Amino acid sequence: DVKVTQSSRYLVKRTGEKVFLECVQDMDHENMFWYRQDPGLGLRLIYFSYDVKMKEKGDIPEGYSVSREKKERFSLILESASTNQTSMYLCASSTGQGFTGELFFGEGSRLTVL
Amino acid sequence: GDSVTQMEGPVTLSEEAFLTINCTYTATGYPSLFWYVQYPGEGLQLLLKATKADDKGSNKGFEATYRKETTSFHLEKGSVQVSDSAVYFCALGTSGGSYIPTFGRGTSLIVHP
């Protein structure tokens, strides 16, 4: 069964802390994505990557960075967490160039910043 | 650029009622169209898709038809169940060049017994 695994389902952090959210996929997919989901705003793309060591900014990259050192792993980093980054974070992957196929999502990581 | 517009929710129905969730899109080229579902506490999963005009996607009693003339991909189900309560996202993707799918804002469906 194909799988996208996010390292933590629930995290509570303090303002100013550095936060790592990790995502691993076992489908040998080229493309990986990080979204945040907030009520009334739907899914907003933070960053995506279409190859190892490649990254592209999405719609809301400010305050975030990413790392993709291996094909199967895509990490989202909050250098200095702030309360407005309290949200649900979703990782996804897909295969192929362009996007005509399915996105596979992890179960999400709910981050609370106090 | 590409965009997807969904009806705002929540949509509240009684069990066995008929469901329609509207989705319209704008896109350059010829997109593939998708419906994803997010059950409470979970990530999104693909519900159905259609890759060309007049195709009908179907799964778990849900259906949607790719209407190029009206640029629509409305989701329908003849008789909803309490277990269908979830958030539904319409999405599109185009081939070549772009790796980024475009999502609607999601429509929450609440089904009462």
Side-chain angles (χ1 to χ4, degrees), chain A residues 28-40:
Chain A
D28 201 35
H29 282 172
E30 295 85 355
N31 310 320
M32 297 189 74
F33 307 81
W34 275 107
Y35 292 89
R36 66 176 280 177
Q37 182 179 18
D38 300 288

Side-chain angles (χ1 to χ4, degrees), chain A residues 25 28-34 45 47-58 66-74 92-99 103, chain B residues 96-101:
Chain A
Q25 50 94 4
D28 201 35
H29 282 172
E30 295 85 355
N31 310 320
M32 297 189 74
F33 307 81
W34 275 107
L45 182 65
Y47 269 95
F48 69 101
S49 169
Y50 54 89
D51 201 353
V52 176
K53 298 191 184 296
M54 305 300 288
K55 60 185 179 184
E56 296 285 344
K57 293 179 180 179
V66 290
S67 173
R68 192 162 182 206
E69 296 296 319
K70 294 185 178 181
K71 190 175 185 180
E72 67 270 19
R73 188 180 298 270
F74 192 37
S93 70
S94 72
T95 189
Q97 291 194 345
F99 181 73
L103 270 182
Chain B
S98 171
Y99 300 92
I100 310 171

Side-chain angles (χ1 to χ4, degrees), chain B residues 23-111:
Chain B
C23 171
T24 57
Y25 67 90
T26 59
T28 54
Y30 301 96
S32 294
L33 301 172
F34 306 85
W35 277 101
Y36 286 83
V37 59
Q38 184 181 32
Y39 297 106
E42 299 183 11
L44 280 71
Q45 57 186 275
L46 182 68
L47 180 60
L48 53 84
K49 68 178 182 181
T51 57
K52 62 182 187 295
D54 299 325
D55 270 2
K56 178 186 283 187
S58 61
N59 186 25
K60 299 182 181 180
F62 291 89
E63 293 183 341
T65 301
Y66 187 162
R67 302 284 188 202
K68 187 179 177 184
E69 64 275 14
T70 55
T71 62
S72 65
F73 193 54
H74 304 321
L75 182 68
E76 297 182 335
K77 187 174 185 182
S79 176
V80 294
Q81 305 300 312
V82 172
S83 57
D84 294 326
S85 298
V87 181
Y88 293 82
F89 292 88
C90 186
L92 69 82
T94 53
S95 61
S98 171
Y99 300 92
I100 310 171
T102 301
F103 283 88
R105 289 195 172 191
T107 303
S108 175
L109 170 65
I110 301 169
V111 181

Side-chain angles (χ1 to χ4, degrees), chain A residues 12-19 78-86 111-114:
Chain A
V12 180
K13 298 292 182 181
R14 297 207 173 273
T15 301
E17 281 193 79
K18 191 169 185 175
V19 181
L78 288 67
E79 293 289 342
S80 177
S82 63
T83 55
N84 63 11
Q85 292 178 310
T86 292
L111 172 67
T112 301
V113 183
L114 302 175

